[in-house]
CSV table of all heavy atoms in Angstrom, one decimal:
chain,number,residue,atom,x,y,z
W,314,THR,N,-31.6,64.7,36.0
W,314,THR,CA,-31.1,65.8,35.2
W,314,THR,C,-30.1,66.6,35.9
W,314,THR,O,-29.0,66.9,35.4
W,314,THR,CB,-32.2,66.6,34.6
W,314,THR,OG1,-33.1,65.8,33.8
W,314,THR,CG2,-31.7,67.8,33.8
W,315,HIS,N,-30.4,67.1,37.1
W,315,HIS,CA,-29.6,68.0,37.9
W,315,HIS,C,-28.3,67.3,38.3
W,315,HIS,O,-27.2,67.9,38.2
W,315,HIS,CB,-30.3,68.6,39.0
W,315,HIS,CG,-29.7,70.0,39.4
W,315,HIS,ND1,-30.1,71.1,38.6
W,315,HIS,CD2,-28.8,70.3,40.3
W,315,HIS,CE1,-29.4,72.1,39.1
W,315,HIS,NE2,-28.7,71.7,40.2
W,316,GLN,N,-28.4,66.0,38.7
W,316,GLN,CA,-27.2,65.3,39.2
W,316,GLN,C,-26.3,65.0,38.0
W,316,GLN,O,-25.1,64.6,38.1
W,316,GLN,CB,-27.6,64.0,39.9
W,316,GLN,CG,-28.1,64.2,41.3
W,316,GLN,CD,-29.6,64.4,41.3
W,316,GLN,OE1,-30.2,64.6,40.2
W,316,GLN,NE2,-30.2,64.4,42.5
W,317,GLY,N,-26.9,65.1,36.8
W,317,GLY,CA,-26.1,65.0,35.5
W,317,GLY,C,-24.9,65.9,35.5
W,317,GLY,O,-23.8,65.5,35.1
W,318,ILE,N,-25.1,67.1,36.0
W,318,ILE,CA,-24.0,68.1,36.1
W,318,ILE,C,-22.8,67.5,36.9
W,318,ILE,O,-21.7,67.5,36.5
W,318,ILE,CB,-24.4,69.4,36.6
W,318,ILE,CG1,-25.6,69.9,35.8
W,318,ILE,CG2,-23.3,70.5,36.5
W,318,ILE,CD1,-26.2,71.2,36.3
W,319,ALA,N,-23.2,67.1,38.1
W,319,ALA,CA,-22.2,66.5,39.0
W,319,ALA,C,-21.5,65.3,38.4
W,319,ALA,O,-20.3,65.2,38.4
W,319,ALA,CB,-22.8,66.2,40.3
W,320,THR,N,-22.3,64.5,37.8
W,320,THR,CA,-21.7,63.3,37.1
W,320,THR,C,-20.7,63.7,36.0
W,320,THR,O,-19.6,63.1,36.0
W,320,THR,CB,-22.9,62.5,36.5
W,320,THR,OG1,-23.9,62.3,37.5
W,320,THR,CG2,-22.4,61.1,36.0
W,321,TYR,N,-21.2,64.6,35.2
W,321,TYR,CA,-20.4,65.0,34.1
W,321,TYR,C,-19.1,65.7,34.6
W,321,TYR,O,-18.0,65.4,34.1
W,321,TYR,CB,-21.1,66.0,33.3
W,321,TYR,CG,-20.3,66.6,32.1
W,321,TYR,CD1,-20.3,65.9,30.9
W,321,TYR,CD2,-19.6,67.8,32.2
W,321,TYR,CE1,-19.6,66.4,29.8
W,321,TYR,CE2,-18.9,68.3,31.2
W,321,TYR,CZ,-18.9,67.6,30.0
W,321,TYR,OH,-18.2,68.1,28.9
W,322,TYR,N,-19.2,66.5,35.6
W,322,TYR,CA,-18.0,67.2,36.1
W,322,TYR,C,-17.1,66.4,37.0
W,322,TYR,O,-16.1,66.9,37.5
W,322,TYR,CB,-18.4,68.6,36.7
W,322,TYR,CG,-18.5,69.6,35.6
W,322,TYR,CD1,-19.8,69.9,35.1
W,322,TYR,CD2,-17.4,70.1,35.0
W,322,TYR,CE1,-20.0,70.7,34.0
W,322,TYR,CE2,-17.6,71.0,33.9
W,322,TYR,CZ,-18.8,71.3,33.4
W,322,TYR,OH,-19.0,72.1,32.4
W,323,VAL,N,-17.4,65.1,37.1
W,323,VAL,CA,-16.4,64.1,37.6
W,323,VAL,C,-15.8,63.3,36.4
W,323,VAL,O,-14.6,63.3,36.2
W,323,VAL,CB,-17.0,63.2,38.6
W,323,VAL,CG1,-16.0,62.0,38.9
W,323,VAL,CG2,-17.4,63.9,39.9
W,324,ILE,N,-16.7,62.8,35.6
W,324,ILE,CA,-16.2,61.9,34.5
W,324,ILE,C,-15.4,62.6,33.5
W,324,ILE,O,-14.3,62.2,33.1
W,324,ILE,CB,-17.4,61.2,33.9
W,324,ILE,CG1,-18.0,60.2,34.9
W,324,ILE,CG2,-16.9,60.5,32.6
W,324,ILE,CD1,-19.2,59.5,34.4
W,325,ALA,N,-15.9,63.8,33.0
W,325,ALA,CA,-15.2,64.5,32.0
W,325,ALA,C,-13.8,65.0,32.4
W,325,ALA,O,-12.8,64.7,31.7
W,325,ALA,CB,-16.0,65.7,31.4
W,326,PRO,N,-13.7,65.6,33.6
W,326,PRO,CA,-12.3,66.0,34.0
W,326,PRO,C,-11.4,64.8,34.3
W,326,PRO,O,-10.2,64.9,34.1
W,326,PRO,CB,-12.6,66.8,35.3
W,326,PRO,CG,-14.0,67.3,35.2
W,326,PRO,CD,-14.7,66.2,34.5
W,327,ALA,N,-12.0,63.7,34.8
W,327,ALA,CA,-11.1,62.6,35.1
W,327,ALA,C,-10.5,62.0,33.8
W,327,ALA,O,-9.3,61.8,33.8
W,327,ALA,CB,-12.0,61.5,35.8
W,328,GLU,N,-11.3,61.8,32.8
W,328,GLU,CA,-10.8,61.4,31.6
W,328,GLU,C,-9.8,62.4,31.0
W,328,GLU,O,-8.8,62.0,30.4
W,328,GLU,CB,-11.9,61.0,30.6
W,328,GLU,CG,-12.8,59.8,31.0
W,328,GLU,CD,-13.8,59.4,30.0
W,328,GLU,OE1,-13.9,60.0,28.9
W,328,GLU,OE2,-14.6,58.5,30.3
W,329,ALA,N,-10.2,63.6,31.1
W,329,ALA,CA,-9.3,64.7,30.5
W,329,ALA,C,-8.0,64.7,31.2
W,329,ALA,O,-7.0,64.9,30.6
W,329,ALA,CB,-10.0,66.1,30.6
Side-chain angles (χ1 to χ4, degrees):
Chain W
T314 297
H315 208 78
Q316 286 88 352
I318 305 175
T320 308
Y321 178 87
Y322 278 98
V323 170
I324 291 173
E328 291 185 6

